[in-house]
Amino acid sequence: MDWRNVDLEDGYERDQNILDAYSFDTLLLEVSCNIRDINTETVRAQFETSLKSKIDSAREVFENNFKNIVNQSLKERQL
């Protein structure tokens, strides 16, 4: 799938998440793999880093498809 040009008329592409899910399992795995000294500060830092990465990725997808989103919204409003 081309995340730089999502086809908003295609049901499959339209149903894809803009922001990926982030589970407790994922966070615990990241902590286990990435943090040598586990404590409240390092776990919080890992969470914030992962969250920022996901937000940055979602923003990039949004920006790359902004015109498509506006055009599809206008098209659907006219229906």
Side-chain angles (χ1 to χ4, degrees):
M1 185 168 137
D2 183 1
W3 287 102
R4 292 166 296 170
N5 188 25
V6 174
D7 181 356
L8 296 175
E9 294 194 27
D10 178 275
Y12 173 77
E13 289 191 21
R14 183 176 173 142
D15 193 42
Q16 298 305 299
N17 293 328
I18 295 172
L19 184 64
D20 291 335
Y22 190 52
S23 69
F24 287 103
D25 271 343
T26 301
L27 175 58
L28 290 168
L29 180 62
E30 289 174 348
V31 167
S32 176
C33 293
N34 298 335
I35 300 175
R36 174 174 281 209
D37 182 22
I38 298 173
N39 59 53
T40 57
E41 291 83 19
T42 58
V43 171
R44 181 178 303 277
Q46 177 63 53
F47 173 77
E48 293 295 337
T49 298
S50 294
L51 186 61
K52 183 182 181 321
S53 175
K54 290 184 175 302
I55 290 170
D56 290 347
S57 177
R59 281 190 175 123
E60 182 179 344
V61 170
F62 173 79
E63 290 298 330
N64 286 332
N65 290 281
F66 183 64
K67 289 181 183 176
N68 292 351
I69 294 165
V70 170
N71 290 338
Q72 187 67 27
S73 297
L74 290 170
K75 182 178 179 181
E76 290 180 12
R77 172 68 59 90
Q78 293 174 359
L79 295 179

